[in-house]
Amino acid sequence: MPFSITHFLRDRFILTADMAEPDEIRTDVEAGVSFRGTNLWVLIFAIVIASVGLNVNSTAAITGAMLISPLMGPIVGIGFGAATMEVPLMRRGLKNLLLAMVISLAVSTIYFYLTPLSEAGSELLARTTPNTWDVLIALFGGAAGAVGLTRRGRGNVIPGVAIATALMPPLCTAGYGLATGQWNYCSGAMYLFFINCVFICLSTFLVVRLLPLPRRTFVDDATARRVRVSIWTLAVLTAAPSVYLAVGIVRDTAFNHNAQQFIEQELIRLPGTYVLTRRIKPEERSLNLLLAGKYLDRPAMAALTRKLPEYGLRRAKLTIRQGMAQLDSATAQALRTNVLEDMRNRDQQAYTEYEARFAQLQQQMANQQLAPSLPNALQVLREAQINFPQVRQLGLSQLIRPATDSLHADTTVVVAVRYKQMLKPAEQQRFSKWLQARLGPRPVLLAE
């Protein structure tokens, strides 16, 4: 039979081989859509855990909340209902998603209103600026979740999707924004949540459409077409702002990188010149630097400005101030931050060195405790020669094995022996037993 690339690809990428029964899939989807009883209580607990994790910047707590959160259920239900043309399932999924969203916002807002910790950590700030990559994560994460949901053995796909798509943290971040009156945090987080919902729903719709699942039909084709157009229109309208934000993030990141490279290459290497502070503002395309040390005249600063295009900083504004007399309040704050950061780094480095030295001293103390002093080798040789006249020379040393995860620390006594005449096997065995008895309970290695 000739090789067929089409047959090979179909055989490798088939999705129906381990697919569960349609009735079983539908039962699981409908069970996840409902929000009452267990699902509702688990949702509330997950909200509190995620809020605490965001409040104290604990990645472990946030991950745990995402794992137990039941928010995926109604979103998958909407996508499944759209793919199988079940309008009642879509309506039920949308109603329960709105209910879950309102409860999540209420509980998280109450928590952040009552907590004494009001500062926004990095975990919370990460949920306030969505971009195109969040769209991709939601799209492919939702597709993986839809494939996993329709399998007989789900494995670890669903928990992984819950972590990757992160539905719970954005809602809690929005609650933080409501509680503290920071509406930009609230709007950014809600937009991220909306992105996740729409694209998980869209990917579920696409995967279920590929599978041989029974579908209901509308009375007329116009209604079916209107449903499909509505889904795709919503997806495009949701993705468009994220693309704009992603372009801005890439542009700002490139500007920051180029500005840092310019400073490193052109200013820090200047003999006698020190960069005290640097304020880089990508949105204004400006570099504001405070220098100390050797004074730069106008021709030197003009030469630096002419080099900006070489670093991808065309049309960037370079402001150079020299001397502490040029210190303004913003620069003073930046200088203070730089000094504190430098002190923190030095303290951390010193602490790491102290820890390494302390561990080394502990190991040395353990080795000393493990390795009590050896008996005098000359005395042992004399005693051995009384019992075994063939022994001519004898030396003693210790081999220390440090502790590992699975083994305790131990010491082996190494005995190096030279004979006038080799011992017979029986005598050699007796000599080994004598050495073991003479040198104590430690293992003995006889080297001839």
Side-chain angles (χ1 to χ4, degrees), residues 265-405:
Q265 297 290 331
E266 300 297 338
L267 288 164
I268 291 182
R269 294 186 179 182
L270 283 176
T273 300
Y274 306 96
V275 179
L276 295 181
T277 64
R278 59 187 81 181
R279 297 209 305 265
I280 301 170
K281 297 183 177 180
E283 65 278 4
E284 299 177 5
R285 297 192 64 78
S286 66
L287 289 79
N288 194 315
L289 307 175
L290 177 65
L291 305 184
K294 183 180 177 181
Y295 186 82
L296 299 181
D297 55 16
R298 288 183 178 276
M301 288 195 286
L304 288 172
T305 303
R306 286 194 298 270
K307 288 187 177 181
L308 288 173
E310 298 177 14
Y311 293 87
L313 299 172
R314 192 179 303 276
R315 292 190 298 276
K317 180 183 178 183
L318 176 63
T319 303
I320 296 179
R321 291 167 297 131
Q322 302 184 75
M324 298 302 290
Q326 301 296 321
L327 195 67
D328 57 18
S329 59
T331 304
Q333 180 62 31
L335 181 59
R336 177 177 176 273
T337 302
N338 290 343
V339 171
L340 291 175
E341 185 66 27
D342 184 61
M343 291 175 62
R344 250 194 315 268
N345 292 337
R346 290 176 182 272
D347 289 345
Q348 184 63 36
Q349 184 179 1
Y351 179 73
T352 304
E353 292 175 356
Y354 291 150
E355 275 195 327
R357 181 58 181 160
F358 182 67
Q360 185 181 6
L361 291 173
Q362 280 186 318
Q363 185 62 51
Q364 289 177 358
M365 292 177 62
N367 292 343
Q368 290 174 1
Q369 293 174 356
L370 278 169
S373 59
L374 290 171
N376 185 276
L378 182 59
Q379 180 65 32
V380 176
L381 173 62
R382 290 172 180 171
E383 294 176 9
Q385 287 176 336
I386 295 173
N387 296 285
F388 306 93
Q390 296 92 331
V391 176
R392 184 168 63 183
Q393 294 179 340
L394 184 145
L396 301 176
S397 62
Q398 293 187 104
L399 179 64
I400 299 174
R401 184 190 68 198
T404 62
D405 292 339

Side-chain angles (χ1 to χ4, degrees), residues 34-328:
S34 176
F35 263 104
R36 61 161 50 92
T38 302
N39 276 1
L40 193 56
W41 280 108
V42 171
L43 174 67
I44 294 173
F45 298 150
I47 295 164
V48 175
I49 294 172
S51 298
V52 172
L54 290 168
N55 199 196
V56 301
N57 222 38
S58 171
T59 304
I62 298 169
T63 303
M66 290 188 287
L67 280 172
I68 64 177
S69 167
L71 274 173
M72 281 280 290
I75 301 172
V76 170
I78 296 170
F80 187 89
T84 56
M85 302 299 180
E86 296 184 49
V87 177
L89 181 60
M90 292 174 61
R91 288 175 179 166
R92 197 159 71 250
L94 183 60
K95 182 181 69 174
N96 283 286
L97 178 60
L98 291 174
L99 173 65
M101 186 176 69
V102 170
I103 292 174
S104 300
L105 287 173
V107 174
S108 59
T109 301
I110 292 171
Y111 171 82
F112 283 111
Y113 182 77
L114 297 175
T115 180
L117 304 175
S118 58
E119 186 177 354
S122 58
E123 290 287 350
L124 193 146
L125 293 174
R127 272 81 186 184
T128 59
T129 53
N131 52 64
T132 304
W133 290 278
D134 294 306
V135 172
L136 295 177
I137 291 171
L139 184 63
F140 290 100
V147 171
L149 182 68
T150 56
R151 302 303 98 183
R152 287 194 292 269
R154 297 184 185 180
N156 60 353
V157 175
I158 303 299
V161 172
I163 295 174
T165 52
L167 291 164
M168 183 65 67
L171 279 178
C172 296
T173 302
Y176 171 83
L178 290 174
T180 58
Q182 301 187 62
W183 307 112
N184 56 331
Y185 286 2
C186 180
S187 60
M190 286 305 298
Y191 179 45
L192 176 58
F193 177 74
F194 192 58
I195 284 176
N196 289 336
C197 291
V198 170
F199 283 91
I200 291 172
C201 178
L202 177 62
S203 57
T204 303
F205 169 82
L206 295 175
V207 170
V208 173
R209 292 290 291 184
L210 289 174
L211 298 174
L213 292 170
R215 302 185 182 94
R216 296 185 180 180
T217 56
F218 288 103
V219 177
D220 57 354
D221 293 337
T223 305
R225 191 181 306 109
R226 188 164 58 250
V227 170
R228 288 193 292 269
V229 169
S230 300
I231 292 173
W232 285 107
T233 302
L234 184 62
V236 171
L237 291 177
T238 303
S242 70
V243 174
Y244 173 77
L245 290 172
V247 171
I249 289 173
V250 172
R251 184 177 59 247
D252 292 350
T253 303
F255 184 88
N256 271 311
H257 173 76
N258 294 339
Q260 295 287 359
Q261 193 175 21
F262 170 77
I263 295 169
E264 296 288 338
Q265 297 290 331
E266 300 297 338
L267 288 164
I268 291 182
R269 294 186 179 182
L270 283 176
T273 300
Y274 306 96
V275 179
L276 295 181
T277 64
R278 59 187 81 181
R279 297 209 305 265
I280 301 170
K281 297 183 177 180
E283 65 278 4
E284 299 177 5
R285 297 192 64 78
S286 66
L287 289 79
N288 194 315
L289 307 175
L290 177 65
L291 305 184
K294 183 180 177 181
Y295 186 82
L296 299 181
D297 55 16
R298 288 183 178 276
M301 288 195 286
L304 288 172
T305 303
R306 286 194 298 270
K307 288 187 177 181
L308 288 173
E310 298 177 14
Y311 293 87
L313 299 172
R314 192 179 303 276
R315 292 190 298 276
K317 180 183 178 183
L318 176 63
T319 303
I320 296 179
R321 291 167 297 131
Q322 302 184 75
M324 298 302 290
Q326 301 296 321
L327 195 67
D328 57 18

Side-chain angles (χ1 to χ4, degrees), residues 19-31:
M19 192 180 81
E21 294 297 324
D23 291 340
E24 182 183 349
I25 297 172
R26 188 181 306 278
T27 300
D28 289 339
V29 171
E30 290 180 348

